[in-house]
Amino acid sequence: MCTVCGCETHDHQARHDAGAIDFGAGLAAVHVAGWSQERTIRIERGILAKNDALARANRARLDAAGVLALNLMSSPGSGKTSLLVRLIQDCRSRRPLVVIEGDQQTSRDAERIRAAGAPAVQLNTGSGCHLDAHMIGHALDVLPLVPGSIVFIENVGNLVCPAAFDLGEAHKVVMLAVTEGEDKPLKYPNMFAAADLLLVNKTDLLPHLEFDMDACLAAARRVNPHMDILRVSARTGAGIEAFYDWIEARVRAS
Amino acid sequence: MHELSLLESIIDLVEEEHRKHPFQQVRMIRIKVGALAMAMPESLRFCFAIVAGGSIAHGARLEIEEVAGAGWCGRCCCSVVLTERYGPCPKCGNAPLHVTAGEELQLADIEVE
């Protein structure tokens, strides 16, 4: 039985050894019918109560281990994995960096992270459009949680659903590529409102685009006046040092 | 898109309730869904039977109470209807407003026998 969530019927344990966990196998549905008479039971609980409880457990576990976790979210293709690869190549000698990769299918991203020199576990969500706290609990079981290390959780590429699910991270980081359009924060406000940091990526492409950076930053500030904003290029490495400094400041503050 | 996960969470909560207060069958599940809560009632209704099937909630009816979005405009000193989370005040254009309703995502009660 799973010691984190008590689950017994998932078969996602099977692939732990291969560095990948598959959550696409389906919904557990075990129950035993009891007896009773007709009645209404008042519950009044948040639908995400279970996820939130598991997220709190993850957060307590990460805090106790002295590990800072960042939940990295964006649309597909904005450069999350490329940014992590660049960060690992440039900064892994300073702190242990580990990665939890979320995708619907394949272990391609985890393989890229490992090739860059960091431990990684791949979570496959099957039909799922986001990572949840339950999955992260299992990923933490198989990753080395060395005090002082940073765990990057690369969420499934999606600007909608991941915003609703607390994973137990210390901070949410949202990424937006300049190829996507400057009005993304207004179109997907929940995601940008939930983030502590916005990374504007692919800035090396700016000379070739009509991207209005001021309009983008104004849109981001409108939905989240308190969010930090950094401009980066995973391809050239511009701004990566500032991102690393931002992380270091969060480590010191934690 | 994540309505399926939300439904799985609802069934989890119902099964948790079943372990605490055993019952034979769930007749109705009532949930509150806010207009700003990033969940579509239509999708929830569409997927419900699939997720409930094989669980203690098999055959149950899903009732959704849709809660309208509302925000407080500090400039107008009044409550206004919000259809977008960070939308401006329809009277004076002030934004963002303090959301006072519409974020509900709650399992209210269940009818069992």
Side-chain angles (χ1 to χ4, degrees), chain A residues 157-226:
Chain A
N158 178 348
L159 282 177
V160 184
C161 315
F165 291 81
D166 184 8
L167 304 180
E169 74 279 337
H171 300 282
K172 287 182 164 71
V173 177
V174 63
M175 177 182 275
L176 168 68
V178 295
T179 46
E180 294 180 54
E182 50 278 279
D183 52 359
K184 274 278 165 73
L186 299 177
K187 290 176 171 175
Y188 301 92
N190 292 292
M191 173 62 74
F192 290 85
D196 297 309
L197 172 66
L198 166 62
L199 295 170
V200 183
N201 191 27
K202 305 192 187 182
T203 51
D204 52 296
L205 294 177
L206 279 171
H208 312 289
L209 303 168
E210 292 178 358
F211 185 82
D212 185 340
M213 182 66 81
D214 290 341
C216 175
L217 302 187
R221 291 261 178 254
R222 182 169 155 195
V223 298
N224 188 343
H226 310 293

Side-chain angles (χ1 to χ4, degrees), chain A residues 6-191:
Chain A
C7 63
E8 292 183 86
T9 50
H10 302 291
D11 61 1
H12 55 247
Q13 303 277 8
R15 291 179 61 206
H16 272 193
D17 290 346
I21 309 174
D22 193 345
F23 285 88
L27 165 72
V30 173
H31 65 91
V32 180
W35 63 276
S36 80
Q37 57 200 25
E38 192 176 325
R39 64 190 193 272
T40 298
I41 302 176
R42 184 155 291 280
I43 299 180
E44 304 281 356
R45 289 180 71 186
I47 289 172
L48 292 172
K50 187 179 170 190
N51 181 77
D52 293 346
L54 291 170
R56 282 195 295 277
N58 290 345
R59 190 165 283 120
R61 183 176 175 187
L62 289 159
D63 286 347
V67 173
L68 186 86
L70 300 175
N71 181 1
L72 184 57
M73 298 175 285
S74 78
S75 0
S78 66
K80 294 186 294 299
T81 313
S82 297
L83 182 91
L84 290 177
V85 165
R86 168 65 77 160
L87 192 75
I88 290 160
Q89 286 167 345
D90 292 1
C91 306
R92 71 177 158 169
S93 59
R94 304 184 213 175
R95 276 187 185 280
L97 307 175
V98 297
V99 178
I100 298 169
E101 279 289 344
D103 281 300
Q104 283 199 310
Q105 294 187 23
T106 83
S107 293
R108 298 170 81 102
D109 282 358
E111 285 157 19
R112 284 176 66 191
I113 296 293
R114 289 186 202 119
V121 62
Q122 180 77 49
L123 296 179
N124 285 138
T125 58
S127 61
C129 49
H130 59 272
L131 296 177
D132 62 36
H134 175 215
M135 300 173 185
I136 298 305
H138 282 291
L140 295 178
D141 290 340
V142 296
L143 280 172
L145 298 180
V146 182
S149 59
I150 312 289
V151 174
F152 293 96
I153 303 165
E154 185 185 328
N155 220 310
V156 178
N158 178 348
L159 282 177
V160 184
C161 315
F165 291 81
D166 184 8
L167 304 180
E169 74 279 337
H171 300 282
K172 287 182 164 71
V173 177
V174 63
M175 177 182 275
L176 168 68
V178 295
T179 46
E180 294 180 54
E182 50 278 279
D183 52 359
K184 274 278 165 73
L186 299 177
K187 290 176 171 175
Y188 301 92
N190 292 292
M191 173 62 74

Side-chain angles (χ1 to χ4, degrees), chain A residues 29 31-32 34-41 43-48 50 129-130 161 165 189-190 193 222, chain B residues 1-2 5-6 9 12-13 16 18 21-24 38 54 85-86 105-113:
Chain A
H31 65 91
V32 180
W35 63 276
S36 80
Q37 57 200 25
E38 192 176 325
R39 64 190 193 272
T40 298
I41 302 176
I43 299 180
E44 304 281 356
R45 289 180 71 186
I47 289 172
L48 292 172
K50 187 179 170 190
C129 49
H130 59 272
C161 315
F165 291 81
N190 292 292
R222 182 169 155 195
Chain B
M1 261 167 96
H2 59 295
S5 303
L6 296 178
S9 302
D12 279 346
L13 290 175
E16 199 178 303
H18 177 242
H21 315 283
F23 44 77
Q24 280 183 320
M38 295 190 290
R85 178 176 287 254
Y86 299 94
L105 211 48
Q106 194 185 52
L107 173 58
D109 49 52
I110 54 176
E111 269 178 31
V112 300
E113 56 181 22

